[in-house]
């Protein structure tokens, strides 16, 4: 059974940093791309970042480029999202997703329950 469990969310002041983690089980982690999406109240789900199965390639949504970094540990079966220079508009529920294949361009087929990130002074 595929399981994705996000953690690390919370309340942070503008300009601050947070690191999200997504611990996974139930599939061969090293053979699947991974992603982070987010959804703010009243808005559509938005791509934050994706990473290939080996970690050699990644992509970012325009709104987070230069501030967020996605990474993965294929020994710990965990994907991370380092978020710096946080803005109030980064406030959302952040979801971790499992890629269908090694390539993040092929889509995602499983999701975690999400973790809330709130950026506010």
């Amino acid at each position: 059974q595929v399981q994705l469990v996000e953690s690390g969310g919370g309340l942070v002041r503008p300009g601050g940093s947070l690191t999200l983690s997504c611990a996974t089980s139930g599939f061969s982690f090293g053979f699947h791309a991974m992603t982070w999406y987010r959804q703010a109240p009243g808005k559509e789900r938005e791509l934050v970042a994706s990473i290939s199965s080996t970690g050699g390639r990644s992509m970012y949504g325009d709104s987070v480029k230069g501030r967020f970094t996605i990474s993965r540990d294929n020994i710990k079966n965990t994907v991370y999202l380092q978020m710096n220079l946080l803005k109030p508009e980064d406030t959302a529920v952040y979801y971790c997703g499992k890629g269908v294949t090694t390539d993040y361009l092929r889509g995602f087929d499983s999701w975690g329950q999400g973790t809330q990130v709130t950026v506010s002074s």
Side-chain angles (χ1 to χ4, degrees):
Q1 181 181 358
V2 173
Q3 289 193 319
L4 308 170
V5 180
E6 300 96 335
S7 61
L11 174 64
V12 62
R13 294 184 184 274
S17 298
L18 276 178
T19 299
L20 305 184
S21 300
C22 175
T24 75
S25 61
F27 64 101
S28 297
F29 182 78
F31 289 92
H32 293 268
M34 298 295 296
T35 192
W36 288 96
Y37 271 67
R38 68 186 183 187
Q39 188 165 22
K43 295 187 177 181
E44 293 187 357
R45 191 173 286 199
E46 173 190 16
L47 168 70
V48 177
S50 300
I51 190 167
S52 64
S53 59
T54 63
R57 292 184 300 116
S58 58
M59 64 179 293
Y60 295 88
D62 288 342
S63 60
V64 306
K65 282 180 181 177
R67 300 188 297 123
F68 290 11
T69 302
I70 189 170
S71 62
R72 63 189 294 157
D73 185 329
N74 284 2
I75 301 298
K76 296 182 177 180
N77 294 342
T78 300
V79 61
Y80 304 96
L81 184 69
Q82 173 67 43
M83 305 185 295
N84 298 326
L85 299 175
L86 283 161
K87 305 175 181 180
E89 50 263 44
D90 294 318
T91 296
V93 178
Y94 284 71
Y95 297 91
C96 167
K98 165 188 165 287
V100 175
T101 71
T102 59
D103 183 354
Y104 48 70
L105 296 179
R106 298 290 186 177
F108 307 95
D109 59 4
S110 296
W111 299 92
Q113 82 289 347
T115 186
Q116 175 71 46
V117 172
T118 302
V119 184
S120 175
S121 55

